[in-house]
Amino acid sequence: MSQSVTLLSEAKRQGFYEMLQFEQNLDSMNKEVNQKLRSSKSFPRIGLALGSGGAKGLAHIGVIKVLEHHKIPIFCIAGSSIGALVGSLYASHRDIGFVENLALSSNWRQILSFIMDPCFGGGFLSGKKVEDFVRVELKSKRFSDLSFDFSAVATDLKTGEAVILQDGDVATAVRASISVPLVFKPVIFGKYLLADGGLSEPVPVQAARALGADIVIAVNLDTHYFSSKRSWNNFYHVAEQSVNILRYHKAKSCVLNADVVVEPAVSIRGLIGWKDFLLNKKIIQSGEKAMEKVIPLLQQRIFSFM
């Protein structure tokens, strides 16, 4: 009996060492692969399509953190609504730590002070405080001053078409992209009357392609809307879910042509969810987890391109 137990223990020990050796070899191989990819002249241009979704957009920070951790370079970013805000800050500073610290340092009262700028002409909030805040953080940069190609997507209320903004003042473009109808006053931009980009392109995959991306990583925040536990006896809940369903299907169609789709598990309800910025750490972590899940797929896409 004791001899059998000893043999079994030795077998387990040998199996453990073999598994450990395999993991070490795998880790070494991944490092070698990453080094080879980054040094290759044919490395594909990686583009991010950062979707709309209010406070859920803090998950974009987590996505970029993981890409930086794996040393996967970002060639360009197209952002819609909150995706335009996060994308512009990263394109300006090229430091996701700065963007994260900015998000973590902003408490509920500070955010309210930025957005509570009443204006009863076409929207409750004029958006001037948000625009001024963004302009300060971007150091009044123009698109040509950014560290890589970036575009903000807005929607023309006159035609319903998406408008890609990639010239001129970045803060004005971001202000237009985050202008939720009936909440923020629309932005007059040349011949356009611009509102939130999420109305037309909740995940701006095509805009990222237009910037020259070979591989587009789409971050879709319009996925976790459905639950059998929710009560449907409330009129507001039915109306809210109706909007969510429209957003869900629109976003789903937008990501069809993406190479990699990231879907952070953030179950915030509502179109804006500004009060949920209090959950900033958890939301950022949801982006990290979702991006880590698709890193193997992204690596496959990179290899197949080369």
Side-chain angles (χ1 to χ4, degrees):
M1 178 71 71
S2 59
Q3 185 177 4
S4 299
V5 172
T6 301
L7 290 174
L8 182 61
S9 298
E10 290 178 354
K12 287 184 176 180
R13 190 180 299 110
Q14 182 63 29
F16 169 77
Y17 286 131
E18 289 177 355
M19 181 181 69
L20 182 62
Q21 184 63 44
F22 172 77
E23 291 178 347
Q24 290 174 343
N25 290 340
L26 183 61
D27 183 59
S28 177
M29 182 180 68
N30 285 336
K31 290 179 180 178
E32 183 179 350
V33 165
N34 285 335
Q35 184 177 4
K36 178 181 177 182
L37 286 175
R38 290 193 301 275
S39 62
S40 173
K41 293 182 180 180
S42 61
F43 194 94
R45 293 169 293 188
I46 308 295
L48 285 179
L50 303 182
S52 62
K56 292 184 289 187
L58 292 176
H60 295 319
I61 297 173
V63 169
I64 297 173
K65 284 179 64 178
V66 170
L67 289 172
E68 283 197 348
H69 173 74
H70 287 276
K71 297 181 172 23
I72 297 174
I74 297 172
F75 172 78
C76 64
I77 292 180
S80 185
S81 196
I82 187 66
L85 177 57
V86 174
S88 66
L89 289 169
Y90 183 62
S92 175
H93 297 274
R94 201 59 184 257
D95 181 358
I96 197 59
F98 169 84
V99 182
E100 182 178 26
N101 289 335
L102 182 64
L104 295 178
S105 66
S106 298
N107 60 33
W108 171 225
R109 291 185 179 180
Q110 288 174 320
I111 293 169
L112 278 180
S113 72
F114 294 145
I115 70 171
M116 287 301 173
D117 184 16
C119 172
F120 295 94
F124 178 63
L125 306 176
S126 76
K128 186 177 184 303
K129 287 188 176 181
V130 172
E131 184 175 339
D132 290 344
F133 167 72
V134 173
R135 181 167 285 107
V136 169
E137 296 301 333
L138 293 177
K139 302 184 185 301
S140 299
K141 289 183 178 179
R142 300 176 69 81
F143 280 87
S144 58
D145 300 323
L146 299 177
S147 60
F148 53 77
D149 289 338
F150 166 76
S151 66
V153 178
T155 304
D156 184 11
L157 290 178
K158 296 179 181 179
T159 64
E161 297 297 321
V163 177
I164 300 176
L165 306 172
Q166 52 188 16
D167 294 301
D169 179 59
V170 181
T172 301
V174 172
R175 156 75 176 87
S177 185
I178 65 173
S179 297
V180 179
L182 304 181
V183 177
F184 289 104
K185 185 178 179 180
V187 175
I188 298 175
F189 195 92
K191 64 180 182 179
Y192 304 114
L193 184 62
L194 299 179
D196 195 279
L199 295 172
S200 55
E201 290 290 331
V203 192
V205 173
Q206 294 307 315
R209 292 280 187 207
L211 289 174
D214 298 313
I215 294 176
V216 175
I217 303 170
V219 186
N220 182 8
L221 303 175
D222 288 305
T223 54
H224 295 76
Y225 285 131
F226 307 107
S227 173
S228 58
K229 298 179 180 180
R230 195 174 184 189
S231 171
W232 300 109
N233 296 325
N234 184 294
F235 173 81
Y236 172 76
H237 287 172
V238 173
E240 178 188 65
Q241 188 68 351
S242 298
V243 174
N244 289 341
I245 291 172
L246 290 173
R247 290 177 59 84
Y248 171 82
H249 286 288
K250 179 61 178 176
K252 190 175 181 179
S253 67
C254 284
V255 303
L256 289 176
N257 294 323
D259 299 283
V260 176
V261 179
V262 185
E263 298 180 339
V266 185
S267 57
I268 294 173
R269 298 199 302 266
L271 186 61
I272 307 175
W274 293 108
K275 63 182 177 65
D276 294 298
F277 273 102
L278 288 171
L279 303 174
N280 45 24
K281 286 186 178 180
K282 291 184 178 180
I283 299 173
I284 291 172
Q285 289 171 356
S286 72
E288 294 178 36
K289 292 177 181 178
M291 188 65 236
E292 282 289 0
K293 287 182 180 179
V294 298
I295 283 293
L297 175 60
L298 175 58
Q299 291 175 333
Q300 290 177 14
R301 293 288 186 268
I302 293 173
F303 271 121
S304 64
F305 185 89
M306 297 171 65

